[in-house]
Amino acid sequence: DVELAFSPSAKECADIALSDDQLSLKLKSFVEKLGINNIRIIKKIERLSIIINTLLTSFEEAVVHQALQSLALFMWCFYSRSKSVPGYDFVKNFGYGFFGPDKEEEKEEEKQWKTILRRYNYSNTDSFDLQVAQTVENGYVDEGPFLDEARKLNLQVVASKSEKSITEAWNIYHDSFDNNEKEVVSVLYDSFKRNVKYISPLSLDGTVRLFRELGKDELADEMTDLYITERKNEEEIFDSSDHHFSSHIKDKKIIEKFAVMHDSLKKKVTKTIKDVLSKIAGKDSWGQDDEDILSSASPEDYYALFKSGKGSHLSLYIDTCLNFGRFTNASEKQKKIAENATIALRKIGKESVLNAMRVKKYGIKLETKKDLA
């Protein structure tokens, strides 16, 4: 007639669920800091951590550390139902700019969540962390975008070994109550300028929002302009429709200036059909811009491209164009691409018996033998 409460500690659960290899020891420290006493969640963390750790073998240790730290946190928040655990969306939106509540009254539970994150030494959610969060949501690693963000972070880590990193600069703000506004502004500003090529749009947003709160609008605008100038060749940064973290950027001027920059880059870059086909040939994905360029090209454009092409890529270009017309629900633009490419191939086929044989393998038939005369 004895009732026992089974309530193992996070350490006990970690010891049960994880082994003693190097990766498991890292995970145990994160599990214990967060107080995760759910073995099912710990095993989920372990499964994805093995995949992530394998992908990041050639990266700086700091990148691996951040990936595993964020994975444990996001997994805990995503699968836990307790109100004492930080809300998943709350953590995804937790950034450098979160120096105070965005609304007049902050909920009591959010105050407690911030305490947990500080204790866990989690200061912000950046674009790499959001890729980790996406991994948690999907249950697998989308290697392309995940490694893209990992490489960007890796460059920043390498650069910060010889320079004072932006994270260290933020510690001057977070780690004291000193009356040191001038120092905070100066150190953040100097660190920002040194690391501008490695700073994510999210970090830019957080720094700029802090400066605006301190009444430093001119410096905030200057940093935004500097960021755009230094990163002007990275078109994807300014494309809000192509970013999973764009919705987390709050500063209105950054949003406006990014939009202007993106529009100007689109106007400057005039892609040819060769540019588009070299990018999408042999793949199952393309953008609306790609389709627009291909559909606006004339049969003469395709003729010039096919006639000048030599090598294995030529077949890929032709097949890609013709495939647009084979889709079950092909749009008018897609049909136009295939139609104009077909006209070009027929023109080529009429030039000689040899070329007629060459275009035949693509399913292009000439109407009569007289066409070869």
Side-chain angles (χ1 to χ4, degrees):
D1 243 2
V2 176
E3 292 185 5
L4 297 175
F6 181 70
S7 183
S9 66
K11 184 179 184 311
E12 289 169 332
C13 288
D15 287 337
I16 292 169
L18 303 171
S19 59
D20 291 322
D21 59 85
Q22 198 165 6
L23 175 60
S24 295
L25 291 175
K26 291 178 184 177
L27 295 180
K28 282 182 179 180
S29 67
F30 297 136
V31 167
E32 290 176 28
K33 280 184 181 178
L34 291 171
I36 305 174
N37 59 358
N38 186 310
I39 293 176
R40 180 178 63 90
I41 293 176
I42 296 172
K43 295 301 289 185
K44 285 180 178 290
I45 294 170
E46 180 189 37
R47 184 181 68 82
L48 286 178
S49 69
I50 293 171
I51 299 171
I52 287 174
N53 194 54
T54 302
L55 288 173
L56 299 178
T57 50
S58 62
F59 288 73
E60 292 286 327
E61 177 58 32
V63 177
V64 180
H65 177 89
Q66 180 172 329
L68 298 178
Q69 181 191 36
S70 300
L71 176 66
L73 175 63
F74 282 122
M75 193 72 80
W76 182 49
C77 297
F78 188 75
Y79 285 103
S80 296
R81 297 293 176 262
S82 171
K83 289 186 178 180
S84 62
V85 176
Y88 181 69
D89 289 335
F90 177 86
V91 177
K92 282 182 69 175
N93 284 281
F94 194 79
Y96 285 123
F98 210 100
F99 44 83
D102 289 335
K103 44 187 178 288
E104 291 184 5
E105 291 187 10
E106 188 177 18
K107 295 179 181 178
E108 190 61 38
E109 64 180 9
E110 292 179 348
K111 295 177 184 178
Q112 295 173 1
W113 292 347
K114 287 169 68 176
T115 300
I116 292 171
L117 296 179
R118 283 196 296 269
R119 188 177 65 223
Y120 189 55
N121 198 29
Y122 189 86
S123 59
N124 75 293
T125 297
D126 63 21
S127 50
F128 179 58
D129 295 318
L130 287 176
Q131 278 299 324
V132 177
Q134 192 66 53
T135 297
V136 171
E137 294 170 25
N138 293 342
Y140 62 87
V141 181
D142 189 350
E143 291 188 22
F146 179 85
L147 288 175
D148 284 345
E149 292 299 336
R151 290 185 192 101
K152 292 175 187 176
L153 179 60
N154 204 62
L155 286 172
Q156 186 177 349
V157 170
V158 171
S160 69
K161 285 185 174 181
S162 58
E163 299 278 8
K164 203 168 189 180
S165 72
I166 190 73
T167 303
E168 291 173 334
W170 268 92
N171 288 340
I172 295 175
Y173 165 78
H174 285 297
D175 294 346
S176 81
F177 286 107
D178 294 341
N179 186 18
N180 59 346
E181 180 180 316
K182 286 185 179 179
E183 182 187 6
V184 169
V185 170
S186 176
V187 172
L188 277 173
Y189 179 72
D190 291 341
S191 179
F192 178 88
K193 288 196 296 183
R194 285 195 301 269
N195 294 282
V196 66
K197 290 184 179 294
Y198 311 104
I199 291 172
S200 72
L202 282 175
S203 296
L204 166 69
D205 180 68
T207 308
V208 164
R209 288 171 64 201
L210 174 61
F211 274 46
R212 294 204 192 285
E213 282 287 314
L214 295 174
K216 307 294 182 182
D217 287 309
E218 287 187 12
L219 281 179
D221 291 338
E222 181 186 327
M223 287 191 293
T224 303
D225 292 338
L226 174 64
Y227 188 88
I228 291 172
T229 300
E230 291 293 326
R231 307 292 287 272
K232 61 185 178 184
N233 294 325
E234 301 174 59
E235 184 182 351
E236 70 280 359
I237 283 181
F238 309 105
D239 185 1
S240 61
S241 65
D242 195 36
H243 271 314
H244 55 274
F245 56 78
S246 59
S247 61
H248 300 277
I249 295 176
K250 306 296 183 185
D251 186 77
K252 291 182 179 178
K253 284 197 175 181
I254 291 178
I255 295 171
E256 291 170 2
K257 289 184 176 183
F258 272 27
V260 170
M261 187 63 179
H262 180 245
D263 288 342
S264 68
L265 287 172
K266 281 184 69 176
K267 290 176 183 176
K268 284 182 183 178
V269 179
T270 306
K271 292 181 179 177
T272 65
I273 56 174
K274 184 177 180 180
D275 294 330
V276 174
L277 289 172
S278 65
K279 183 181 77 170
I280 71 171
K283 299 177 181 177
D284 293 324
S285 62
W286 57 87
Q288 188 59 52
D289 289 347
D290 300 325
E291 200 172 294
D292 290 342
I293 292 169
L294 293 178
S295 63
S296 63
S298 67
E300 289 72 25
D301 293 327
Y302 284 105
Y303 175 84
L305 175 65
F306 296 158
K307 285 288 287 185
S308 63
K310 288 179 175 62
S312 58
H313 65 275
L314 178 59
S315 293
L316 282 175
Y317 289 0
I318 295 172
D319 285 332
T320 299
C321 293
L322 297 179
N323 280 338
F324 277 104
R326 295 169 183 153
F327 299 143
T328 305
N329 298 313
S331 65
E332 290 304 313
K333 285 184 178 180
Q334 290 170 343
K335 291 176 183 176
K336 192 70 175 175
I337 295 168
E339 180 185 333
N340 288 344
T342 300
I343 293 171
L345 289 170
R346 282 188 177 142
K347 182 178 179 181
I348 293 171
K350 292 175 184 179
E351 294 175 346
S352 68
V353 174
L354 184 60
N355 278 350
M357 295 168 65
R358 284 167 170 161
V359 299
K360 186 178 179 181
K361 69 180 183 181
Y362 298 106
I364 305 297
K365 294 182 180 179
L366 301 180
E367 293 179 6
T368 66
K369 291 183 179 180
K370 292 181 181 179
D371 291 326
L372 298 176

